[in-house]
Amino acid sequence: MPLVYLGTGWLIGIALASALHLPIDFLLPALLVPIAGLALWWKDRRARLIWLSLCAAILGGLYFTLRLPHFDQN
């Protein structure tokens, strides 16, 4: 069942990044919040799953943002 939550978080992160056009400058520091929450509430199974899902969502947003093509003059 945890894989369902992580996969859902990943897809939600991709959807939000495409809808909101989130920059990498926002997503990288935002990744520190779920990592800190994960470190603080590691023993609680439910909280750990929530923080891991949030981490997967941010990583999905990073994946989408990094895979966008960048067009310039060259």
Side-chain angles (χ1 to χ4, degrees):
M1 199 66 173
L3 187 59
V4 173
Y5 294 120
L6 294 177
T8 303
W10 178 268
L11 293 175
I12 287 173
I14 291 173
L16 284 176
S18 70
L20 300 176
H21 304 289
L22 298 172
I24 294 174
D25 299 336
F26 172 75
L27 290 172
L28 286 177
L31 189 59
L32 295 175
V33 173
I35 290 173
L38 193 61
L40 291 173
W41 286 285
W42 181 254
K43 295 194 186 232
D44 185 15
R45 183 179 186 272
R46 180 187 233 171
R48 183 174 57 223
L49 191 57
I50 291 170
W51 287 114
L52 281 173
S53 297
L54 187 59
C55 197
I58 294 172
L59 288 173
L62 270 172
Y63 176 81
F64 177 81
T65 303
L66 291 174
R67 296 295 176 203
L68 284 175
H70 178 69
F71 298 109
D72 58 1
Q73 294 178 2
N74 298 325

